[in-house]
Amino acid sequence: MLDFVSPENHQPLTSAADGSALVRADGVRYPIHDGIPDFVPATGSEEPPHGNQDFYRTRAHEYDLGNSVMFKMLLAEEEPVREDFAASLMLRPGARVLEIGCGTCRDTVHLLRRDATVYAGDLSYEMLAIGKQRLQDSGADFSRIRLFRGDAMRLPFPDGFFDAAFHFGGLNLFPDIAGALREMARVVKPGGRVVAGDESVGPWLAETEFAKILKNSNPLFAHVAPLDKIPVNARDVSCRWVLNGSFYLISFEVGAGEPQLDLDVEFPGWRGGSHRTRYFGRLEGVSPQLRETIVKQAAAEGLSIVAWLEKALRKATETG
């Protein structure tokens, strides 16, 4: 349990003496129900910011049946597809994995087969209860499972806690997709992987009857893969479509900040300069006629424009 931290400030938690809650230093309690700590909401006085929770709370069993129907209608075998999802995380034995939005733990079973410790969370306690029963029925090793009720927008884990993070099947409905992907990347150590996917018919299929039929039954298939929501510290990014092109699966490696450049590599050719001089060393504009004169003068002296300008400006400042 003490692997968890406060989702609001990432401060450590301790166990209540009676084991009924995890407790923050300021006394805020996160109750534990049937071994599952509840981090949504932290105070127990507000609803999570997702409008679809009533569906999952009251129809969790129907949702589970719907998953089986989905694979049948798409002419796909569920077990190999979910094994492929788990494989895309590139886990090493002993890895620690976050699965957020685990639902009824249909993917959790496959993650556990990778010899990993899995932290599986969902907003719906009802879904988690079904998932816990599924894990028990499968003979899962509960020493390698941590179930929790939590929100993808504020995860109860410290930075870089996991080797990988996984989500499938709810991203389209998140109120802040970019924020959720950033949060998943936050809790994964540099070099680890994030894999996330949801409904979205591939763009090459957009005008097919296949796409129109799917969208007619479920408007979620009209969503577009949120490539513009991937965090800037993502590296080795890929997006592929699975289940006959009806779901996207985004994968990336977690890096640090924006990609880096060597700003001082000199460019060959008549323009010359480097990224540093071209971007940070820009001067006020000049008339087209003067620019043409400079280009000709630089060429006559066998210099790039940047080299000629620096020479001329240096001479002007020295004589001034």
Side-chain angles (χ1 to χ4, degrees):
M1 290 294 188
L2 299 184
D3 293 338
F4 295 105
V5 299
S6 165
E8 290 79 26
N9 58 20
H10 306 155
Q11 294 301 303
L13 303 174
T14 58
S15 295
D18 61 1
S20 63
L22 298 180
V23 185
R24 210 164 66 188
D26 59 2
V28 171
R29 295 170 63 87
Y30 303 92
I32 299 173
H33 305 290
D34 192 25
I36 300 176
D38 187 348
F39 296 99
V40 180
T43 63
S45 62
E46 59 182 79
E47 282 294 306
H50 298 270
N52 60 336
Q53 283 309 292
D54 283 341
F55 171 85
Y56 295 116
R57 186 177 298 114
T58 60
R59 300 167 66 186
H61 283 281
E62 183 178 330
Y63 173 85
D64 207 27
L65 291 172
N67 260 275
S68 298
V69 170
M70 180 190 71
F71 280 89
K72 288 179 180 177
M73 77 178 187
L74 292 169
L75 304 177
E77 293 186 40
E78 182 171 356
E79 292 297 300
V81 171
R82 295 195 186 276
E83 275 295 303
D84 176 61
F85 292 168
S88 68
L89 290 166
M90 302 180 185
L91 301 175
R92 295 181 178 180
R96 189 156 50 191
V97 184
L98 168 68
E99 183 189 3
I100 190 65
C102 66
T104 58
C105 295
R106 299 171 84 97
D107 285 307
T108 316
V109 174
H110 295 271
L111 295 173
L112 288 167
R113 293 175 185 170
R114 325 302 286 195
D115 190 25
T117 297
V118 182
Y119 290 68
D122 199 273
L123 274 173
S124 168
Y125 179 78
E126 289 72 19
M127 301 278 274
L128 287 167
I130 296 173
K132 184 176 182 179
Q133 186 62 54
R134 167 173 279 111
L135 294 170
Q136 291 172 337
D137 292 344
S138 71
D141 178 2
F142 271 79
S143 69
R144 296 192 290 114
I145 302 169
R146 308 284 190 275
L147 297 177
F148 67 97
R149 182 172 181 246
D151 187 342
M153 309 305 301
R154 49 179 193 177
L155 295 169
F157 303 103
D159 295 356
F161 185 72
F162 294 101
D163 297 290
F166 175 76
H167 168 81
F168 187 76
L171 192 60
N172 289 335
L173 296 176
F174 284 9
D176 181 1
I177 294 174
L181 291 174
R182 281 197 306 272
E183 183 71 344
M184 292 173 71
R186 177 187 70 80
V187 301
V188 172
K189 63 183 65 172
R193 292 189 67 75
V194 173
V195 176
D198 207 353
E199 294 104 337
S200 174
V201 175
W204 69 96
L205 297 171
E207 300 304 318
T208 63
E209 192 169 54
F210 170 84
K212 293 173 183 177
I213 290 171
L214 286 177
K215 294 173 187 178
N216 179 65
S217 291
N218 185 351
L220 290 175
F221 283 105
H223 279 259
V224 176
L227 300 179
D228 59 330
K229 303 297 191 296
I230 297 172
V232 297
N233 63 329
R235 305 288 187 270
D236 190 24
V237 177
S238 67
C239 181
R240 61 190 176 104
W241 274 260
V242 297
L243 291 167
N244 284 336
S246 62
F247 282 75
Y248 63 83
L249 199 67
I250 293 171
S251 305
F252 61 86
E253 182 179 301
V254 175
E258 294 183 21
Q260 298 298 302
L261 289 168
D262 185 335
L263 298 177
D264 297 308
V265 173
E266 292 286 333
F267 296 116
W270 66 275
R271 185 181 175 193
S274 65
H275 280 308
R276 188 181 302 280
T277 59
R278 290 182 179 184
Y279 188 82
F280 296 104
R282 288 176 292 184
L283 300 174
E284 294 296 328
V286 298
S287 69
Q289 294 81 7
L290 179 56
R291 183 182 186 280
E292 184 178 350
T293 299
I294 292 171
V295 171
K296 290 179 179 179
Q297 187 64 44
E301 297 183 27
L303 299 174
S304 70
I305 294 176
V306 169
W308 190 93
L309 284 171
E310 288 186 343
K311 174 186 172 183
L313 291 170
R314 192 176 297 111
K315 181 177 179 181
T317 55
E318 288 173 354
T319 58

